[in-house]
Amino acid sequence: MKTETATRLLAIDNLRVLLTALVVAHHVAVTYGNIPIWYYTEPAADPSGVALDLLVVFNQAFFMGFFFLISGFFTPGSHDRKGGRAFVRDRLVRLGVPLLGFVLLLRPLLTIGEHGMPFWKWYIVSWDPGPMWFVEVLIVFALIYAWWRRAGRSGGQAAGAPSLKGVVLFTLGLAAVTVLWRIPVPQGTYVPVLGLPTPYFLPQYAAMFAAGVVAFRRGWFEALPRRAARAGFAATGVASLVLLPVSSLTTGLVASAAMALWESVVAVGMIVGLTVLFRERFAGQGVRGRFLSEHAYAVYVIHPLVLVAVAWAVRGLHAAAVVKFALVLAVSLPLCWALAYAVRSLPGARRIL
């Protein structure tokens, strides 16, 4: 049992490293693509920017939902070990302190020189969690889970892999709820108070967090068959070939439904595929893997500072968008982990990062 648990945790830790690296790549792609929603951007002046936009759209379809699923997966066990009050206190410290640290300290550094008003006034009106919106939402989900457990519910202990029918129904249900949600909250909506860049993905985030909770209780990580990886990746490919053209060539409800279904299939397909792949082939960890895993959360918190600094440093370089993307990503990834190591070396930092 101890060996199985260690294997499970190492595989999931390795997945978190991959997802963290994808977050860094995502924001570098935003920097040099045509979706200007980052602290520093250089909109693409050549066709290669379209490739970066496609990377952003594809990543967005699944990677934050995957983060929420993994967070949901670890939530029941943490609550079981610590009890309700200690669980809530731990979540508020582990999530709330980095959130406040980012908003109060890092955020001003990322936008130095961009405000046309007195610094103190700009500091107040520009309150925004940036990429830490994920932590903000996760706090809400954790509190809802604690309330749910306080009401006497645990989610059951039934074991066994989810059926194909269940997976299909979950995917279709998620797509349907997403379409309905996007009537009042259409794509592109931004919530200025909470700083959520993608509130139109909230149904996916909530559904994946809940799926993670259920997956832990029912042993889905161990029970998913190997063939599920191929099926998940195949579904992602087929959906992309069929649904993306429909979404781009139509308008209104048809386009919205096609996009919501594509996102849902990609989210489920990629999550299932990568989960089984890592369980089967990347369930071990050496010294380097352990280092990357231990510092992944800190990388998520501090990576905007590294990306903006590196992008500013090479702003005078004239090259295709995809070339600058590759250069900045190659430089930023090791710098992110190096800075994360330095930050976590500070007294008391490892307790929250």
Side-chain angles (χ1 to χ4, degrees):
M1 179 63 70
K2 290 184 179 179
T3 301
E4 291 178 359
T5 301
T7 299
R8 179 195 70 198
L9 295 177
L10 291 178
I12 295 178
D13 280 348
N14 292 337
L15 272 170
R16 284 196 288 198
V17 171
L18 172 66
L19 291 175
T20 302
L22 279 179
V23 168
V24 177
H26 185 87
H27 290 138
V28 178
V30 170
T31 300
Y32 296 107
N34 300 291
I35 307 175
I37 49 173
W38 189 238
Y39 297 103
Y40 174 81
T41 60
E42 293 181 20
D46 63 273
S48 69
V50 176
L52 300 181
D53 297 339
L54 290 175
L55 173 63
V56 169
V57 172
F58 184 80
N59 271 349
Q60 192 62 63
F62 81 94
F63 76 147
M64 294 311 298
F66 207 165
F67 265 124
F68 279 110
L69 184 139
I70 291 175
S71 298
F73 183 85
F74 284 106
T75 294
S78 178
H79 191 285
D80 291 347
R81 291 190 305 272
K82 299 171 183 177
R85 290 186 179 181
F87 168 78
V88 170
R89 184 168 58 249
D90 176 75
R91 292 295 83 193
L92 291 177
V93 171
R94 280 275 289 173
L95 301 175
V97 172
L99 172 61
L100 288 176
F102 183 91
V103 172
L104 295 176
L105 302 176
L106 295 186
R107 174 182 57 93
L109 297 175
L110 296 169
T111 52
I112 288 177
E114 293 186 7
H115 46 89
M117 62 181 74
F119 179 82
W120 66 268
K121 185 176 182 180
W122 165 84
Y123 186 85
I124 294 174
V125 300
S126 64
W127 194 271
D128 191 317
M132 293 299 283
W133 67 266
F134 165 68
V135 172
E136 191 177 43
V137 174
L138 198 54
I139 291 174
V140 175
F141 288 171
L143 293 177
I144 292 174
Y145 179 81
W147 168 82
W148 186 68
R149 289 292 298 271
R150 186 178 178 84
R153 300 175 176 86
S154 66
Q157 299 287 342
S163 66
L164 176 60
K165 179 180 179 182
V167 173
V168 171
L169 289 177
F170 173 84
T171 305
L172 294 176
L174 175 58
V177 172
T178 300
V179 171
L180 295 176
W181 174 255
R182 287 180 180 174
I183 294 175
V185 188
Q187 284 184 287
T189 300
Y190 179 76
V191 182
V193 176
L194 298 177
L196 303 184
T198 54
Y200 42 94
F201 271 94
L202 277 176
Q204 183 189 116
Y205 301 154
M208 291 305 175
F209 182 86
V213 171
V214 176
F216 175 84
R217 291 298 188 198
R218 301 188 178 183
W220 285 354
F221 183 86
E222 295 86 355
L224 282 170
R226 292 184 178 183
R227 63 179 181 276
R230 293 191 297 272
F233 293 140
T236 296
V238 172
S240 299
L241 290 174
V242 175
L243 295 173
L244 282 181
V246 173
S247 177
S248 62
L249 296 175
T250 57
T251 58
L253 185 59
V254 173
S256 178
M259 179 57 72
L261 182 57
W262 175 75
E263 291 165 351
S264 299
V265 173
V266 169
V268 174
M270 289 298 294
I271 288 172
V272 170
L274 287 173
T275 296
V276 175
L277 177 65
F278 271 65
R279 185 194 69 193
E280 297 298 321
R281 300 197 178 178
F282 302 102
Q285 228 177 49
V287 175
R288 293 178 183 175
R290 186 160 56 250
F291 175 85
L292 295 174
S293 174
E294 289 176 350
H295 297 84
Y297 181 37
V299 167
Y300 186 94
V301 177
I302 57 89
H303 79 275
L305 198 61
V306 174
L307 298 193
V308 171
V310 174
W312 266 97
V314 301
R315 67 186 183 279
L317 175 65
H318 298 288
V322 71
V323 172
K324 296 196 76 170
F325 162 80
L327 173 63
V328 171
L329 182 60
V331 173
S332 296
L333 281 173
L335 284 180
C336 282
W337 260 271
L339 181 58
Y341 172 78
V343 170
R344 293 187 78 239
S345 297
L346 297 174
R350 290 176 183 254
R351 295 182 60 186
I352 57 175
L353 293 173

